[in-house]
Amino acid sequence: MATPSSRRLETSKVQVSTHFLRKREMINQVARYVLMLAAIISVLVTIGIVYVLLSEALVFFEQVSVWEFVSSTSWTPMFSRPTFGIWPLLSGTIVVSGIALAVSIPFGLILSVYLSEYANPKVRETVKPILELLEGVPTVVYGYFALLVVTPLLQTFLPGLPGFNMLAPGLVMGIMILPYTTSLSEDAMRAVPNSMREGAYALGYSRFHTATKVVIPAAMSGITAAFILAMSRAVGETMVVAIAAGQMPNFTFNPMEGAATITTFIVQVSLGDVSHGSIAYLSIFAAGMVLFLLTLIFNLIGFYLRKRYRQAY
Amino acid sequence: MNGMSKFQTTVQDDSEKPMRKASEHLDHWYLEPDSPTRARVSNLKFWYGDGTQAIDDVSMPLIDKKVTALIGPSGCGKSTFLRCFNRMHDLYPGVRYSGEINLLPEDEDLINLDPNIVRMRVGMVFQKPNPFPKSIYENVIAGLRIRGITKRSLLDEIVEDSLSKAALWDEVKDRLHQPALSMSGGQQQRLCIARALAVEPEILLLDEPTSALDPIATAKVEDLINKLAGDVTVLIVTHNMQQAARISDYTAYMYLGKLIEYNKTNDLFTAPRCQRTEDYITGRFG
Ligand SMILES: Nc1ncnc2c1ncn2[C@@H]1O[C@H](COP(=O)(O)OP(=O)(O)O)[C@@H](O)[C@H]1O
Ligand SMILES: [Mg+2]
């Protein structure tokens, strides 16, 4: 290490030993390889999962035509003459997550605007941890809450509502993901620089106009990301629906009926005594692939929207 | 600037005893009848939420359709003073004002008006350009929209007018609907000036509007502020004395929250009455 600078250091009080520099360099190298290894492992695991999913799904599609899968409206893998139309599972997934999003998007937005733009710091510091606490409630609890509390409650003014329905789990799931969407979109709004708000106020904007016309548009990429994540979570959620919507595949878009979703079906089959390699067993991979594609599409939409709304402040 | 002084002061001219000047500050001003005043500040004091008193008993007139510069060392309260004029401080909890800022000729104390109403009448441009993440056009009409102006032809007219006043029209007339954030910093700042001018403010506040700009962009903004005089009443904070000398008609020198001296720019720079002002403008201090 006989560089001119290190030689100059020898005469000064600040002595940097070559041993120290070597040690520092070694740590640097080790850290680099450890991090690289971690990155490679996670990529490999992901590829492995997708590989298993695809290869098992391919075996399934050797026995069931793709056309039947995407066009048939009946899903009866356990029957002696089984049918494999994905629509009953898809409709259940769409209805339940649709209701959940219809609840959590508007309320999440209102709550996060309130917390970020209206609430004084003390309120915000109290409410945010409570929201984060709610995120930790096990989903089973929400499932039984939907089945034992919300459905009976709904039945008092919707007399025809069956005990298993999609409405109650949809609503409860909306509440369940509310803390998540709220805290993510609140973060996005707080990230909007104050200079932007002051610019709006300086033009005579009220608090409401500042929030709706300036802060929300500026935070759009983060808010979109929040709701895409919420959507992925709603689509992937199992417990609430499995408990409160019954587990009968049912091709309907009527929230007043019970139904199964893709995830509830997967759980149901994998917990039952279906023999390994049977067509019913393989069908969970085909259904899983649909779920995978669905979330992939959401993420691509989210990616596209974020790019569109991305703003450098 | 013509040579005729529009101000007289009650403080005796004590230029023979320069060292005694240091303890004085000039705060009583009488306007001659021919110099219309846009606003009169009387005994203004201001406290931040943490109890810091940042403005201490400032009184001064703001001359109509002239550029008034606020100078003084960093932390002396220039921005704080400026932000009283549009009640920007009210966005933060616990702040307190005492004294008055009367808008003339209506003689309304803006400290007692609804801050939203005040901000509709008093525009502001900030230190760092802060255009909204929208198109150039949308930025200019941002203030008009919330005033309920929606007629397209009128909006178009105001956009062209404001951008021309901000010396930006020729540069952007072919890309009005492109994002404002795609412009250079200097263009963004002129856009912010256009956005403030579009709503025809009675007073335009500028807080070091060129401190984030390069020399060429700075020259453009200074040029346009020069042109605004005669049209708009401008109050501008600058840390740069040359800039104050170049663009302002009147200059106020502040120190530790107090107004030390206020005069026509030319007089203040060539014949300061207070020792402290003289020290500051000659660079012996600050
Ligand atoms: N938000 C605030 N809270 C408390 N004190 C502040 C705040 N902003 C500024 N100050 C204080 O007020 C005084 C004036 O600040 P400022 O008006 O920003 O000065 P200038 O613009 O002349 O540099 C300074 O002493 C500063 O520390
Ligand atoms: Mg300042």
Side-chain angles (χ1 to χ4, degrees):
Chain A
M1 288 258 152
T3 61
S5 67
S6 71
R7 229 180 286 129
R8 206 174 327 118
L9 282 175
E10 278 157 30
T11 61
S12 81
K13 280 185 192 146
V14 186
Q15 294 279 346
V16 181
S17 73
T18 38
H19 173 70
F20 174 80
L21 287 176
R22 246 189 237 126
K23 205 170 110 189
R24 202 177 68 161
E25 181 56 21
M26 209 177 73
I27 292 172
N28 199 16
Q29 288 294 330
V30 169
R32 185 197 164 110
Y33 287 117
V34 168
L35 292 175
M36 210 153 85
L37 196 70
I40 290 172
I41 287 174
S42 59
V43 170
L44 285 181
V45 167
T46 310
I47 291 175
I49 291 172
V50 175
Y51 173 78
V52 170
L53 199 62
L54 282 182
S55 58
E56 299 280 349
L58 276 180
V59 179
F60 172 82
F61 283 118
E62 276 167 13
Q63 298 169 47
V64 177
S65 79
V66 176
W67 176 246
E68 177 187 337
F69 188 72
V70 298
S71 66
S72 165
T73 55
S74 130
W75 180 267
T76 55
M78 309 299 204
F79 286 14
S80 49
R81 294 196 58 210
T83 49
F84 294 97
I86 192 67
W87 279 105
L89 299 183
L90 209 52
S91 68
T93 303
I94 291 170
V95 171
V96 176
S97 8
I99 296 171
L101 291 175
V103 172
S104 79
I105 289 183
F107 284 100
L109 209 52
I110 291 169
L111 257 172
S112 53
V113 166
Y114 170 73
L115 284 180
S116 149
E117 305 301 312
Y118 283 83
N120 68 38
K122 231 184 255 154
V123 173
R124 180 163 50 239
E125 294 326 313
T126 329
V127 172
K128 275 210 96 170
I130 294 177
L131 286 180
E132 267 142 36
L133 214 66
L134 279 176
E135 276 178 50
V137 175
T139 54
V140 189
V141 175
Y142 284 103
Y144 281 101
F145 179 66
L147 181 69
L148 303 175
V149 179
V150 178
T151 296
L153 200 72
L154 289 172
Q155 279 167 334
T156 58
F157 43 95
L158 293 172
L161 192 72
F164 288 128
N165 60 75
M166 295 189 277
L167 187 57
L171 293 176
V172 168
M173 206 152 90
I175 294 166
M176 188 178 89
I177 59 180
L178 192 59
Y180 189 58
T181 52
T182 304
S183 89
L184 282 177
S185 46
E186 199 252 0
D187 286 345
M189 287 183 213
R190 307 251 357 124
V192 173
N194 226 11
S195 64
M196 205 78 87
R197 284 185 192 86
E198 290 197 344
Y201 284 118
L203 286 171
Y205 278 50
S206 61
R207 204 168 274 266
F208 179 73
H209 275 136
T210 303
T212 53
K213 301 242 151 102
V214 174
V215 177
I216 291 177
M220 207 33 136
S221 68
I223 295 172
T224 311
F227 289 119
I228 295 291
L229 284 171
M231 215 181 306
S232 296
R233 242 193 103 171
V235 168
E237 170 53 33
T238 320
M239 250 359 197
V240 180
V241 205
I243 293 167
Q247 300 182 10
M248 274 299 294
N250 179 6
F251 180 58
T252 175
F253 288 98
N254 180 1
M256 308 271 286
E257 290 178 35
T261 63
I262 297 175
T263 50
T264 56
F265 168 75
I266 292 174
V267 172
Q268 190 189 358
V269 170
S270 48
L271 290 181
D273 51 353
V274 177
S275 61
H276 198 279
S278 73
I279 186 76
Y281 169 81
L282 288 172
S283 73
I284 67 176
F285 290 95
M289 202 186 68
V290 172
L291 194 63
F292 174 73
L293 287 178
L294 221 54
T295 34
L296 188 69
I297 290 169
F298 286 144
N299 288 336
L300 287 178
I301 295 172
F303 184 72
Y304 167 77
L305 288 177
R306 283 186 71 161
K307 234 174 79 177
R308 251 195 70 182
Y309 288 120
R310 165 142 312 157
Q311 308 298 352
Y313 303 121
Chain B
M1 271 170 291
N2 56 42
M4 198 190 78
S5 174
K6 284 175 180 165
F7 290 110
Q8 291 175 345
T9 167
T10 56
V11 175
Q12 298 291 310
D13 182 14
D14 49 3
S15 53
E16 297 99 321
K17 299 168 276 177
M19 291 323 289
R20 257 205 61 214
K21 293 199 294 188
S23 60
E24 311 268 0
H25 63 274
L26 313 181
D27 57 0
H28 302 286
W29 296 95
Y30 294 102
L31 293 170
E32 287 180 5
D34 69 333
S35 64
T37 307
R38 184 76 239 190
R40 186 185 297 115
V41 183
S42 319
N43 305 103
L44 186 70
K45 295 179 185 165
F46 176 81
W47 292 264
Y48 280 106
D50 62 0
T52 313
Q53 179 174 6
I55 299 295
D56 187 6
D57 205 17
V58 169
S59 301
M60 67 178 264
L62 196 59
I63 310 301
D64 193 33
K65 296 193 167 56
K66 296 284 181 199
V67 177
T68 302
L70 287 169
I71 61 168
S74 171
C76 72
K78 306 180 294 295
S79 300
T80 307
F81 182 61
L82 191 80
R83 290 159 66 92
C84 292
F85 277 81
N86 68 346
R87 304 278 301 278
M88 216 52 183
H89 299 300
D90 293 49
L91 296 176
Y92 304 96
V95 300
R96 203 150 54 80
Y97 304 84
S98 106
E100 294 172 6
I101 302 179
N102 284 293
L103 290 171
L104 299 170
E106 305 90 340
D107 206 18
E108 284 173 299
D109 179 12
L110 65 75
I111 301 295
N112 286 320
L113 290 177
D114 172 358
N116 283 322
I117 302 291
V118 173
R119 294 182 202 126
M120 289 223 175
R121 297 170 61 173
V122 180
M124 179 162 181
V125 174
F126 297 79
Q127 198 162 347
K128 240 184 89 209
N130 58 352
F132 302 133
K134 295 179 181 182
S135 72
I136 296 172
Y137 188 96
E138 285 289 333
N139 264 280
V140 181
I141 65 168
L144 299 164
R145 280 267 156 96
I146 58 134
R147 284 162 176 78
I149 298 169
T150 50
K151 206 172 132 211
R152 198 74 199 183
S153 58
L154 181 60
L155 291 176
D156 287 346
E157 195 185 313
I158 296 176
V159 166
E160 177 167 356
D161 202 44
S162 316
L163 286 172
S164 304
K165 274 191 204 153
L168 194 57
W169 175 250
D170 290 330
E171 285 164 63
V172 301
K173 62 169 182 264
D174 299 320
R175 51 182 187 118
L176 290 176
H177 297 284
Q178 281 175 25
L181 291 164
S182 68
M183 302 195 297
S184 73
Q187 288 176 322
Q188 290 187 12
Q189 192 61 301
R190 278 179 284 149
L191 177 65
C192 291
I193 294 175
R195 180 175 75 183
L197 289 175
V199 294
E200 297 177 5
E202 295 173 28
I203 300 171
L204 181 62
L205 311 170
L206 301 119
D207 191 352
E208 303 197 17
T210 62
S211 64
L213 307 183
D214 63 57
I216 294 171
T218 298
K220 280 188 180 156
V221 170
E222 285 185 5
D223 213 39
L224 104 85
I225 293 169
N226 263 327
K227 290 202 182 93
L228 287 179
D231 226 15
V232 192
T233 306
V234 177
L235 184 58
I236 178 170
V237 170
T238 172
H239 62 272
N240 178 333
M241 279 179 285
Q242 284 73 35
Q243 181 170 69
R246 278 195 298 270
I247 62 175
S248 69
D249 304 296
Y250 296 87
T251 298
Y253 170 62
M254 289 182 69
Y255 180 70
L256 292 180
K258 285 184 161 48
L259 177 64
I260 303 298
E261 186 162 347
Y262 177 45
N263 210 340
K264 302 198 83 173
T265 299
N266 216 5
D267 297 344
L268 187 125
F269 280 104
T270 54
R273 290 160 189 264
C274 287
Q275 185 62 45
R276 224 180 240 143
T277 316
E278 191 174 324
D279 290 348
Y280 182 70
I281 62 178
T282 54
R284 250 177 284 162
F285 153 77

